[in-house]
Amino acid sequence: MTQEEIEKEKARVHHLSPEDREKELRQLNREISFLEMKRGINNGELFTWSGRYKTLMRDYGVPLFVYYWATWISMGAVTYLAIEVGQVDALRLISNVDAFTGFDLASKVDPKLGQVGLALVVNEMMEPIRLPFVVATLKPVMDTINPPKY
């Protein structure tokens, strides 16, 4: 758009009532969504995981990261608490791994640090569960926290 066209559009929008402005924004968002879907179909990204992830990043951005890391941290805390309350002996598990690999890590690891390390390993092993959960629940959670305006 030229600067003159921009100024004309600003003047036109300035004279719209709040209801008309919201109605127009809703229509524009529907058109943009439709065009983005057509673009995804044309370049094939609509049907790939990376394309879906790009769509999530475009639509949600920072809230996606915040929600994912909140989920990661809460699952890690629950895992650590389960290890602590269940009195899982992390050093014994490390000794079993040492016997399998031939290393001697158990003698070099602090028991508390071993529990934290075990919680991190188990938390990372839950990634195939966590990522689909975040992707599946992101839209309903974000719509609850911050309802769409347009």
Side-chain angles (χ1 to χ4, degrees):
M1 291 180 87
T2 65
Q3 190 62 34
E4 183 180 321
E5 291 172 328
I6 291 172
E7 294 302 322
K8 282 174 76 174
E9 183 63 15
K10 281 183 181 180
R12 184 190 71 80
V13 170
H14 180 71
H15 293 294
L16 290 176
S17 69
E19 294 82 20
D20 288 340
R21 187 177 298 172
E22 185 168 328
K23 185 178 177 183
E24 187 172 326
L25 282 172
R26 287 178 189 268
Q27 180 60 34
L28 289 171
N29 283 338
R30 280 192 293 273
E31 290 173 16
I32 289 169
S33 179
F34 176 74
L35 290 172
E36 286 172 346
M37 182 177 288
K38 282 183 77 173
R39 179 177 183 224
I41 291 170
N42 285 334
N43 65 19
E45 287 184 348
L46 185 65
F47 309 108
T48 64
W49 281 102
S50 65
R52 290 180 186 162
Y53 185 72
K54 285 179 186 177
T55 301
L56 282 176
M57 285 302 300
R58 181 191 66 230
D59 294 345
Y60 294 101
V62 173
L64 169 63
F65 281 120
V66 170
Y67 182 53
Y68 174 81
W69 286 110
T71 305
W72 189 90
I73 289 168
S74 62
M75 287 180 84
V78 167
T79 302
Y80 178 77
L81 288 173
I83 290 170
E84 186 76 29
V85 170
Q87 297 178 349
V88 175
D89 188 6
L91 290 181
R92 194 172 119 244
L93 288 173
I94 294 172
S95 295
N96 291 342
V97 171
D98 285 347
F100 182 71
T101 61
F103 294 125
D104 185 28
L105 296 176
S107 64
K108 301 174 184 169
V109 174
D110 178 47
K112 204 63 163 168
L113 188 60
Q115 287 181 324
V116 170
L118 180 61
L120 285 172
V121 168
V122 171
N123 193 24
E124 286 303 314
M125 290 173 68
M126 289 191 288
E127 187 64 34
I129 297 167
R130 180 175 35 251
L131 185 60
F133 170 79
V134 168
V135 170
T137 60
L138 178 67
K139 184 170 176 25
V141 168
M142 289 301 126
D143 287 349
T144 301
I145 292 172
N146 188 16
K149 185 175 181 180
Y150 304 113

